[in-house]
Amino acid sequence: HKTAALLQVAVAAGAILGGANAEEVKACELFALDIGLAFQVADDILDVTASTEELGKTAGKDEDTDKTTYPKLLGLEESKVEAQRLVDEAKASLTQFGDRAAPLLAIADYIIARSN
């Protein structure tokens, strides 16, 4: 949840600096929380499915250290479903912003489409 908290602060700060009202800041915080969790799910999936060369770090490290991960708890396919659900929820939280949210929506899609 560290990644989610970091993203939450960054996105909320950007919203505040951009003149967002309290409701808009809350929507941005929800977006960031969801994409932060989606990032973690995607990272856990990549640790299982990608090679060390693809990742640029040691693949399979989570399993080697018996770390609790989304694939370990939910299975690989359900983890993919959960990552997509989190991204969909994140994107839905920004509907009030219309086209102004396009960069954040693109980031949300990238988070689960990345290969490293």
Side-chain angles (χ1 to χ4, degrees):
H1 296 259
K2 295 179 287 188
T3 302
L6 181 62
L7 289 170
Q8 202 169 19
V9 169
V11 173
I16 291 166
L17 291 172
N21 64 36
E23 180 183 323
E24 292 168 331
V25 171
K26 188 71 175 163
C28 289
E29 288 176 332
L30 178 58
F31 167 82
L33 177 63
D34 284 336
I35 64 163
L37 292 174
F39 183 93
Q40 185 59 58
V41 176
D43 200 56
D44 288 354
I45 291 168
L46 287 171
D47 190 68
V48 173
T49 61
S51 69
T52 296
E53 292 76 27
E54 291 169 317
L55 289 176
K57 64 179 183 178
T58 305
K61 189 173 65 173
D62 293 342
E63 187 176 337
D64 292 345
T65 60
D66 200 31
K67 181 178 174 187
T68 301
T69 64
Y70 283 91
K72 187 174 182 178
L73 293 172
L74 303 176
L76 184 58
E77 290 309 311
E78 280 301 312
S79 294
K80 292 177 182 179
V81 169
E82 177 63 6
Q84 186 63 59
R85 185 195 69 75
L86 287 162
V87 165
D88 292 344
E89 188 174 288
K91 291 167 77 172
S93 69
L94 299 181
T95 56
Q96 65 183 305
F97 297 105
D99 290 343
R100 296 181 297 154
L104 293 176
L105 299 176
I107 289 169
D109 288 331
Y110 170 76
I111 280 177
I112 60 170
R114 66 194 172 92
S115 60
N116 61 12

